[in-house]
Amino acid sequence: MTDQTIAGALVLGVLEGLTEFIPVSSTGHILLAGHFLGFKSTGKAFEVLIQLGAILAILSIYAVRLWKMLIDLPRDRDTQRFVLGILLAFLPAAIIGVLAYKVIKTVLFETPLLICVMLILGGFVLLWVDRWASKPRYTDVTKFSLPMYFTIGLIQCLSMIPGTSRSGATIVGGLLLGADKRSAAEFSFFLAMPTMTGAFAYDLYKNFDILSTADIEIIAIGFVAAFVAALLVVRWLLGYVSQHGYALFGWWRLIVGIAGLAALFVWG
């Protein structure tokens, strides 16, 4: 394990944590950064497995609320309905993720040009939705309709194309379906928990036999870096989007996507 590899893992881990919960595509960012840094991971497992660090960050922040939900679940109908909504939203990604796993990892993850294009397209969509969003019908993440939860889950499946953004797809879906900016972001947090945990578990299962001790050490470095960075972002994000919306992230996507295309043209 070289110093360059350790530095690359730290950079990519921090990048994962900073971008996982904002609508700019963490996977797109770390795949592009890894491409230009010359960072290689066995089976592209690093890019998926370090997401658990970001998930543990949000679990720690929401620990009290999640514990209360667990206690209330057997007897409280509102809690039961919200948990059902999360499961409905998770179901499409679970099915499509398993069926399309090979294509996602061997084709889509290996196409930097596609990532740049999706960053740019997603930036335009985010800017449009941020300005278009009409008066919201939902301000409480637990009060969405069951069809709305499921529809957001369907929209989330677009994020299997790197550069689209899981949080971006779910936030845009929530806004289009009547959520306000804060509750759209908050549901993206809740949906991330089963989605990213499932992706972690399935990717670990698929790659366990080919991972070496060195791979695990590099993943551990990225995991810790992602955890620390994600803690900072999650605590900040809800307050920011409530006041300022998502335009900043739309412009960021355009800048990164265009810069990525230029870099690919110059350096390949």
Side-chain angles (χ1 to χ4, degrees), residues 231-254:
L231 277 177
L232 301 176
V233 170
V234 173
R235 293 184 182 279
W236 162 81
L237 182 61
L238 290 179
Y240 178 86
V241 299
S242 297
Q243 297 182 38
H244 304 289
Y246 296 97
L248 171 65
F249 308 117
W251 288 113
W252 176 256
R253 293 178 65 107
L254 292 177

Side-chain angles (χ1 to χ4, degrees), residues 9-210:
L10 279 171
V11 169
L12 296 182
V14 170
L15 195 56
E16 159 64 25
L18 293 177
T19 58
E20 180 57 54
F21 298 110
I22 61 177
V24 299
S25 180
S26 61
T27 302
H29 276 68
I30 61 176
L31 287 173
L32 279 180
H35 174 79
F36 291 116
L37 289 172
F39 184 88
K40 303 292 184 183
S41 69
T42 304
K44 290 292 183 184
F46 175 90
E47 289 80 354
V48 175
L49 297 183
I50 63 170
Q51 292 178 351
L52 185 64
I55 281 297
L56 289 182
I58 202 167
L59 286 173
S60 67
I61 291 171
Y62 276 81
V64 173
R65 187 167 177 181
L66 291 170
W67 180 250
K68 185 178 185 304
M69 287 173 57
L70 182 63
I71 293 173
D72 292 343
L73 185 60
R75 61 179 182 273
D76 184 75
R77 293 185 65 85
D78 288 341
T79 301
Q80 293 168 357
R81 183 179 173 281
F82 181 49
V83 171
L84 175 61
I86 294 172
L87 293 176
L88 285 173
F90 167 65
L91 187 61
I95 295 172
I96 296 175
V98 170
L99 295 177
Y101 176 84
K102 186 174 181 179
V103 173
I104 293 168
K105 293 298 291 290
T106 61
V107 178
L108 301 182
F109 270 41
E110 301 288 351
T111 314
L113 178 61
L114 174 64
I115 296 170
C116 293
V117 170
M118 295 308 298
L119 283 169
I120 293 169
L121 291 177
F124 283 122
V125 170
L126 201 57
L127 288 170
W128 172 73
V129 170
D130 190 61
R131 296 191 62 179
W132 171 87
S134 58
K135 186 176 180 180
R137 290 176 288 133
Y138 301 97
T139 58
D140 185 341
V141 69
T142 67
K143 303 299 183 184
F144 296 176
S145 68
L146 291 180
M148 180 174 172
Y149 289 124
F150 182 70
T151 303
I152 293 173
L154 288 174
I155 296 171
Q156 178 182 235
C157 294
L158 294 173
S159 66
M160 293 179 191
I161 305 172
T164 301
S165 171
R166 187 206 58 77
S167 59
T170 55
I171 287 170
V172 167
L175 293 174
L176 290 175
L177 293 169
D180 73 339
K181 292 174 181 178
R182 182 183 178 92
S183 63
E186 191 169 28
F187 185 66
S188 178
F189 292 169
F190 277 104
L191 184 53
M193 297 178 197
T195 301
M196 292 169 60
T197 302
F200 171 89
Y202 191 71
D203 203 85
L204 183 62
Y205 162 73
K206 296 292 286 187
N207 289 286
F208 186 79
D209 291 340
I210 62 174

